């Protein structure tokens, strides 16, 4: 029998009864008037793209792949500059007499991308970080060194939350996890690859050349992105097909008349603009914004603090921080443990130990990315085609096992002089869980509040950095006071409890999203009125 298609919300409309993060993603009965994925015919494209070929959602696979390559290039080059110092603490300290601390600094100018686009921010970030790398070897006092690290954190801040927003600009919801996994791999992988090469650079050329090579890498990345990175900001008049209280189609919906002709799912929007003219290569490299956006910096500045009152966003930051701080604990004790008896690793060998975390990152990116997208579609098909933002959180079940395992193996193993392979293996497992935590936490925040993704991610990073600073600040006295074995047994149990918190969000997360929808849509309306949220 023929079916009558079910109308989705008009393009450009905002259904304020819809629960943010609850989306009709799979068209099981093929009755939705919405654009569908060409490779999986029952998957609805969310958000709905416009008809403009220069809409990032409409880019060809090759054009999207190039955009992803530029994002990865930025992440890897800035990430290497941030992490290269890990395996050369000792020679720097001996040469300069400085007491070095890993400083987390600033999400300083993150809000600027709303006003001027993302491409200029990426390029300026790389250029400014390059300048800091050239300056750092000449610092000869604690104050100068701290200043260089603060500036590096300030200029490198987009690595923390701008990439994720760019991924959401270019990819649909059913693809997003894969590319957030790729971002997590680039971010964490560069952090673990940098100490590998830094140790050999320091041994062969001196510790100063660790920073000079970082500057060279940044220069290469800047040139590549200058000529190949496109702007992903786009003002679109199409909305995503979200559902407030979804119910499976009833027989009366599906078979209103046996005489009704079958209508294809896609239907051109009557308000679609006239045909678009494709951009030239030079237009793609332009720094001029697509549309004029008023300067609303002062209005945006307090938004990340306000979003702390959204339980989903705060928990995403807590989740991100929970997975990161435990690897920071492993990372912060690695040099001291591996260079001491019975291991006696030189700096270059300490660097080689980071091959294991690099492999762990690959596994974490695969599980949270490609496998995560497959899992979300599977859950949606079991839920009448509707996906909830919490569906992806079930993958955190692996972290409940991986985090305590890595902490116990590392701390208890080191206390008893276990073979070095056990410690290196623990680093790899810790990196696996870290990479998963980055990708899943960020994806949950974006899936829940897509239109406020930028501000939400700044809030997530704020919570994460607060946790990271607290743990890093107290790490040395904590481990020194309790001893390796007791400190890491405690850490393992705390990490397991933190990991289990995802069950609370699975149970109550949707309710939190529903109760926050009034304020969420209020912020979206405000953003659209001043041009900082695409309609």
């Amino acid at each position: 029998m023929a079916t009558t298609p079910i109308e989705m919300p008009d393009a450009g409309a905002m259904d304020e009864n819809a629960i943010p993060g609850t989306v009709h993603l799979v068209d099981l009965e093929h009755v939705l008037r919405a654009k569908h994925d060409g490779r999986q015919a029952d998957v609805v494209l969310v958000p709905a793209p416009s008809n403009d070929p220069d809409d990032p959602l409409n880019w060809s696979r090759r054009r999207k792949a190039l955009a992803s390559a530029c994002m990865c290039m930025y992440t890897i080059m800035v990430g290497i500059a941030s992490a290269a110092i890990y395996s050369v603490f000792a020679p720097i300290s001996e040469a300069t007499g400085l007491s070095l601390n890993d400083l987390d600094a600033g999400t300083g100018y993150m809000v600027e991308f709303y006003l001027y686009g993302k491409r200029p921010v990426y390029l300026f970030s790389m250029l400014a970080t390059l300048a800091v790398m050239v300056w750092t070897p000449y610092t000869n006092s604690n104050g100068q060194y701290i200043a260089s690290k603060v500036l590096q954190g300030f200029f490198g801040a987009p690595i923390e939350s701008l990439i994720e927003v760019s991924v959401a600009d270019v990819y649909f919801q059913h693809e997003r996890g894969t590319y957030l996994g790729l971002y997590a791999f680039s971010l964490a992988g560069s952090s673990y690859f940098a100490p590998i090469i830094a140790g050999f650079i320091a041994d062969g050329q001196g510790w100063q050349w660790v920073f000079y090579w970082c500057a060279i890498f940044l220069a290469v990345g800047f040139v590549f992105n200058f000529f190949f990175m496109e702007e992903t900001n786009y003002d679109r008049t199409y909305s995503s097909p979200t559902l407030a209280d979804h119910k499976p189609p009833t027989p009366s919906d599906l078979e209103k008349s046996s005489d009704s002709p079958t209508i294809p799912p896609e239907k051109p929007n009557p308000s679609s603009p006239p045909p678009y003219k494709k951009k030239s290569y030079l237009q793609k490299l332009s720094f001029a914004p697509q549309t004029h956006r008023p300067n609303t910096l002062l209005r945006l500045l307090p938004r990340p603090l306000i979003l702390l009152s959204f339980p989903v966003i705060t928990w995403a930051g807590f989740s991100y921080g929970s997975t990161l701080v435990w690897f920071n604990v492993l990372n912060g004790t690695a040099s001291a443990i591996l260079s001491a008896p019975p291991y006696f690793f030189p700096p270059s060998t300490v660097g080689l130990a980071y091959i294991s975390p690099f492999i762990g990152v690959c596994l974490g990116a695969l599980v949270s990315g490609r496998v995560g997208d497959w899992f979300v579609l599977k859950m949606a098909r079991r839920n009448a085609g509707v996906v909830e933002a919490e569906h992806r959180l079930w993958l955190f079940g692996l972290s409940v096992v991986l985090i305590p395992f890595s902490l116990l193996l590392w701390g208890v193993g080191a206390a008893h002089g276990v073979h070095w392979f056990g410690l290196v293996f623990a680093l790899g497992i810790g990196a696996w869980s870290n990479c998963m935590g980055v990708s899943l936490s960020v994806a949950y925040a974006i899936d829940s509040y897509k239109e406020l993704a930028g501000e939400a991610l700044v809030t997530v990073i704020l919570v994460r950095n607060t946790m990271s600073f607290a743990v890093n600040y107290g790490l040395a006295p904590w481990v020194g006071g309790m001893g390796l074995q007791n400190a890491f047994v405690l850490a393992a149990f705390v990490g397991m409890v933190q990991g289990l918190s995802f069950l609370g969000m699975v149970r109550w997360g949707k309710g939190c999203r529903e109760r926050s929808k009034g304020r969420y849509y209020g912020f979206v309306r405000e953003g659209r009125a001043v041009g900082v949220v695409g309609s």
Side-chain angles (χ1 to χ4, degrees):
M1 289 187 178
T3 60
T4 299
I6 298 174
E7 296 283 353
M8 303 306 290
D10 291 337
M14 181 170 67
D15 181 6
E16 296 193 20
N17 292 318
I19 302 174
T22 297
V23 176
H24 199 153
L25 191 61
V26 181
D27 185 8
L28 296 174
E29 303 292 340
H30 301 281
V31 294
L32 299 180
R33 287 193 186 276
K35 293 186 178 182
H36 290 60
D37 183 58
R39 287 171 289 175
Q40 301 181 79
D42 62 344
V43 175
V44 179
L45 297 182
V46 179
S50 68
N51 294 325
D52 185 355
D54 285 312
D55 180 344
L57 294 173
N58 287 331
W59 288 353
S60 66
R61 294 180 66 181
R62 179 181 177 183
R63 196 170 171 184
K64 289 188 176 187
L66 183 59
S68 296
C70 290
M71 295 179 211
C72 289
M73 175 68 76
Y74 171 83
T75 305
I76 291 170
M77 296 311 173
V78 175
I80 286 176
S82 301
I85 197 172
Y86 286 149
S87 62
V88 292
F89 276 138
I92 293 177
S93 181
E94 290 173 6
T96 64
L98 298 176
S99 175
L100 306 179
N101 296 303
D102 184 24
L103 302 175
D104 285 315
T107 50
Y109 62 118
M110 284 304 301
V111 292
E112 290 295 322
F113 72 80
Y114 288 110
L115 307 179
Y116 308 114
K118 301 181 180 70
R119 184 172 184 268
V121 175
Y122 282 125
L123 295 177
F124 176 75
S125 171
M126 297 181 82
L127 205 58
T129 305
L130 186 158
V132 174
M133 289 294 99
V134 173
W135 171 43
T136 300
Y138 296 97
T139 57
N140 54 21
S141 70
N142 192 48
Q144 290 181 359
Y145 179 79
I146 290 176
S148 73
K149 294 295 102 181
V150 169
L151 287 175
Q152 184 179 345
F154 179 81
F155 293 129
I159 198 175
E160 300 286 8
S161 56
L162 190 54
I163 299 289
E164 300 96 310
V165 182
S166 297
V167 168
D169 288 342
V170 176
Y171 293 100
F172 298 104
Q173 181 163 340
H174 69 282
E175 304 170 317
R176 203 176 290 154
T178 297
Y179 294 95
L180 286 175
L182 181 62
Y183 157 69
F185 167 76
S186 301
L187 179 64
S190 62
S191 298
Y192 307 139
F193 177 71
I196 298 174
I197 59 174
F200 289 100
I201 293 172
D203 285 349
Q205 296 181 288
W207 63 268
Q208 294 92 340
W209 270 95
V210 171
F211 298 99
Y212 296 147
W213 275 108
C214 288
I216 293 170
F217 295 150
L218 284 162
V220 171
F222 176 85
V223 172
F224 182 88
N225 280 8
F226 183 87
F227 288 105
F228 295 111
M229 174 175 272
E230 293 187 54
E231 178 57 62
T232 62
N233 273 5
Y234 187 84
D235 291 325
R236 165 182 315 110
T237 57
Y238 290 76
S239 63
S240 303
T242 57
L243 300 180
D245 296 299
H246 175 77
K247 297 178 181 178
T250 63
S252 61
D253 292 326
L254 302 179
E255 301 182 81
K256 290 188 177 178
S257 171
S258 60
D259 297 326
S260 299
T262 300
I263 302 176
E266 285 80 9
K267 182 185 74 172
N269 191 288
S271 62
S272 297
Y276 295 87
K277 183 179 179 180
K278 297 187 72 171
K279 292 180 180 178
S280 67
Y281 173 72
L282 291 179
Q283 287 174 324
K284 292 176 182 179
L285 300 186
S286 172
F287 289 103
Q290 178 191 11
T291 57
H292 173 71
R293 294 169 183 259
N295 194 321
T296 56
L297 181 60
L298 292 179
R299 186 178 300 189
L300 290 174
L301 279 176
R303 184 71 62 77
L305 296 177
I306 295 172
L307 292 181
L308 284 170
S309 62
F310 284 55
V312 165
I313 296 175
T314 301
W315 182 86
F318 170 80
S319 170
Y320 192 159
S322 296
T323 54
L324 179 66
V325 296
W326 297 124
F327 188 80
N328 283 351
V329 168
L330 301 184
N331 205 31
T333 55
S335 181
I337 290 175
L338 293 177
S339 61
Y343 307 108
F344 297 110
F345 282 13
S348 58
T349 309
V350 172
L352 286 175
Y354 282 85
I355 293 176
S356 175
F358 189 79
I359 295 172
V361 163
C362 295
L363 294 173
L366 177 64
V367 172
S368 62
R370 179 74 68 177
V371 174
D373 281 343
W374 168 83
F375 181 77
V376 166
L377 285 175
K378 183 178 178 66
M379 292 291 288
R381 290 189 172 101
R382 293 176 56 183
N383 192 39
V386 177
V387 65
E388 304 287 356
E390 289 74 28
H391 283 168
R392 199 180 295 270
L393 298 184
W394 285 107
L395 296 174
F396 270 115
L398 280 173
S399 294
V400 176
V401 177
L402 295 178
I403 290 175
F405 174 79
S406 63
L407 291 170
L408 288 172
L409 181 56
W410 177 262
V412 178
H416 292 273
V418 72
H419 189 273
W420 63 264
F421 181 80
L423 302 187
V424 171
F425 185 72
L427 285 174
I429 298 298
W432 180 356
S433 63
N434 178 28
C435 184
M436 285 182 55
V438 171
S439 180
L440 296 176
S441 301
V442 166
Y444 183 46
I446 294 176
D447 289 348
S448 297
Y449 302 108
K450 167 64 175 66
E451 299 293 344
L452 299 180
E455 299 102 310
L457 288 172
V458 173
T459 306
V460 167
I461 300 304
L462 177 65
V463 176
R464 187 213 69 174
N465 281 357
T466 301
M467 296 176 65
S468 181
F469 172 78
V471 170
N472 288 348
Y473 185 80
L475 178 61
W478 174 38
V479 175
M482 294 188 68
L484 279 174
Q485 178 166 305
N486 292 338
F488 279 88
V489 167
L490 175 61
F493 279 101
V494 173
M496 183 173 64
V497 172
Q498 287 176 330
L500 287 170
S501 67
F502 87 91
L503 295 174
M505 298 311 295
V506 169
R507 174 66 179 83
W508 294 294
K510 182 176 181 179
C512 293
R513 289 187 284 114
E514 184 171 17
R515 286 188 292 274
S516 68
K517 67 182 181 182
R519 288 189 297 156
Y520 168 70
Y521 288 119
F523 286 141
V524 174
R525 284 196 307 273
E526 179 184 350
R528 290 183 176 183
V530 298
V532 297
V533 173
S535 57

